[in-house]
Amino acid sequence: MLGRTNKVRAELVADCKNQHGEGIFWNPADGLVWWTDIEGCALWSFDPATLETTSHEMPERVCCFAPRASGGLIVAYADRVVVFNTPEGEEALVTRFEPNNPETRLNDGRPDRQGRLIVGGMNEVSGKANSSVICVDTDLSVQTIIEGVSCANSTCFTADGATMFFADTPDREIVAFDYDTSGGTVSNRRQHASFNDEPGLPDGSCVDAEGGVWNAEWEGHRVVRVAPDGTIDRVIEVPVWKPTCCAFGGPDLDTLFITTSRLMSDEAALTQIMIDTTEVWPLIGRDFQARMTEEPEVETNVVPFKTKPAAPEDAGGTIWSQVQTILHGRDPELWSSWFQHLNEVERAGGCVTLIAPSRFMADYIAQKWSARLLAAYSRVDPEVRTLRIDATE
């Protein structure tokens, strides 16, 4: 991963205070930048000409969406895809997503060059690779095109539509597929770029006219451009911990708009993890722009996640009871199911060691501790996936 040139720092453009901004794209039909605040259950728009933002309340979390040529939207909620007619708010069901798997939900999605919606899922409970990616055709027929997915992200297409980029985030890589533009299927999977040496994980992406993939690095404080040869040649520094998605927009398509997230973040946790937290914290969950001049025609992507409310105060007691209080206190039903996938492997010498089913899950859980536990948290072992908490501070 060489060629770190042309660094740019993103600037705040829309002070929208989203809980979890995602799914950003430019709509030339109305001259607006659109995105979703998943946990805020709202769709947002931004007018680059007037600098005005507008929010539109939705009945539940929208994971990704796109305008339809015939009017209205195609909307991916967590558990289904619908045709949504605005402003009446009428819905017509297209498909349920994995109704027999209670652990998965829809996540990343975007249209291909022919107008199909490609949208993938994630396992938000155990982190298992048992979700999928589906293709919703223009006639609203549905087919599965990728299986064995843990967390679908980065879906985007080259200008000719013949290559689809994709990331299963825990794999720390962006892959490329040959894309059948006539049938909406994929083949010939190969690695396009490794993120093993990057500070963050691959999240939302878009493609520029030269075939460069711009990726928001989750927990990486940056957006990077992956050149066609797979190397990173440009970096946009984002003054927040969790960039989520990016899209070129504006009349001249010369501005890269970036969404960010508060997911799994509270002020106490950020104090322990982030650099220059006092400067960065007020910007979390807002939107940024980075002006570029080299890229003409480009496209966008949608990559949503799920956020949870802030942790309660520590209840005191043993370190183990505090872990249980903090995790269960956020969402008892969700965290009870998560504990079914964790094993306590050590409680000796003032140290609690947990083992998670995957590195991605270990990272996810590690961010749930309170400030005290986070300060005592040792490390996530990438090989054995253990979480060690030293209680002897």
Side-chain angles (χ1 to χ4, degrees), residues 123-153:
N123 189 316
E124 63 178 352
V125 177
S126 67
K128 293 179 181 178
N130 61 357
S131 193
S132 62
V133 177
I134 62 174
C135 169
V136 182
D137 214 323
T138 53
D139 63 0
L140 301 184
S141 61
V142 180
Q143 62 176 324
T144 298
I145 62 172
I146 305 176
E147 295 182 315
V149 172
S150 175
C151 183
N153 271 315

Side-chain angles (χ1 to χ4, degrees), residues 60-385:
E60 56 189 276
R61 293 180 301 149
V62 174
C63 295
C64 67
F65 68 106
R68 303 182 71 213
S70 58
L73 306 169
I74 186 164
V75 174
Y77 293 114
D79 63 347
R80 68 193 187 280
V81 178
V82 305
V83 172
F84 187 93
N85 294 316
T86 56
E88 295 83 2
E90 298 176 352
E91 293 183 5
L93 179 66
V94 175
T95 187
R96 297 281 179 185
F97 182 69
E98 300 178 348
N100 296 322
N101 190 342
E103 296 187 345
T104 61
R105 69 161 173 88
L106 284 166
N107 193 46
D108 174 56
R110 62 149 322 107
D112 69 6
R113 297 296 187 180
Q114 290 69 43
R116 307 179 188 93
L117 179 67
I118 310 300
V119 58
M122 67 176 291
N123 189 316
E124 63 178 352
V125 177
S126 67
K128 293 179 181 178
N130 61 357
S131 193
S132 62
V133 177
I134 62 174
C135 169
V136 182
D137 214 323
T138 53
D139 63 0
L140 301 184
S141 61
V142 180
Q143 62 176 324
T144 298
I145 62 172
I146 305 176
E147 295 182 315
V149 172
S150 175
C151 183
N153 271 315
S154 284
T155 305
C156 54
F157 297 85
T158 52
D160 62 4
T163 301
M164 185 181 100
F165 298 102
F166 175 80
D168 193 347
T169 293
D171 293 341
R172 301 187 73 94
E173 65 177 2
I174 293 177
V175 299
F177 289 96
D178 292 340
Y179 187 74
D180 180 1
T181 57
S182 63
T185 58
V186 296
S187 60
N188 188 26
R189 176 182 178 130
R190 66 268 187 193
Q191 185 183 79
H192 181 62
S194 171
F195 276 60
N196 285 333
D197 296 328
E198 287 299 295
L201 299 170
D203 205 320
S205 295
C206 63
V207 177
D208 64 36
E210 298 175 351
V213 178
W214 296 77
N215 179 263
E217 283 195 19
W218 176 256
E219 298 182 346
H221 301 264
R222 64 175 62 186
V223 172
V224 297
R225 181 185 189 264
V226 180
D229 65 0
T231 61
I232 291 177
D233 62 1
R234 297 176 203 175
V235 175
I236 297 176
E237 297 175 343
V238 182
V240 298
W241 189 25
K242 296 172 180 176
T244 55
C245 193
C246 55
F248 283 95
D252 298 321
L253 295 175
D254 61 352
T255 301
L256 187 71
F257 293 91
I258 304 164
T259 52
T260 62
S261 176
R262 294 175 184 265
L263 179 62
M264 299 176 292
S265 301
D266 56 31
E267 192 164 8
L270 290 169
T271 300
Q272 297 295 329
I273 293 180
M274 296 178 63
I275 300 174
D276 297 330
T277 299
T278 54
E279 173 189 353
V280 172
W281 166 249
L283 304 178
I284 295 295
R286 303 181 184 182
D287 294 291
F288 298 84
Q289 65 178 353
R291 295 201 173 274
M292 313 300 294
T293 57
E294 302 91 341
E295 315 304 332
E297 299 176 3
V298 291
E299 60 168 342
T300 62
N301 184 38
V302 279
V303 189
F305 269 88
K306 181 180 179 181
T307 188
K308 302 307 299 179
E313 294 293 329
D314 284 355
T318 66
I319 194 83
W320 181 244
S321 69
Q322 291 184 43
V323 169
Q324 291 177 311
T325 298
I326 291 160
L327 291 181
H328 286 289
R330 291 173 178 256
D331 186 329
E333 183 178 351
L334 176 63
W335 296 119
S336 292
S337 65
W338 271 46
F339 262 85
Q340 296 173 9
H341 302 284
L342 293 173
N343 301 295
E344 183 189 358
V345 294
E346 181 183 350
R347 250 200 271 183
C351 182
V352 174
T353 303
L354 308 176
I355 185 164
S358 68
R359 168 64 188 274
F360 180 64
M361 186 62 63
D363 288 340
Y364 199 102
I365 295 167
Q367 296 155 22
K368 303 294 183 178
W369 311 142
S370 69
R372 176 185 181 279
L373 292 180
L374 190 60
Y377 165 60
S378 174
R379 66 190 294 263
V380 177
D381 190 313
E383 300 299 326
V384 299
R385 307 184 304 278

Side-chain angles (χ1 to χ4, degrees), residues 8-24:
V8 178
R9 185 171 177 84
E11 298 176 355
L12 180 66
V13 65
D15 190 4
C16 54
K17 299 182 176 66
N18 289 169
Q19 290 299 307
H20 186 59
E22 276 286 6
I24 192 165

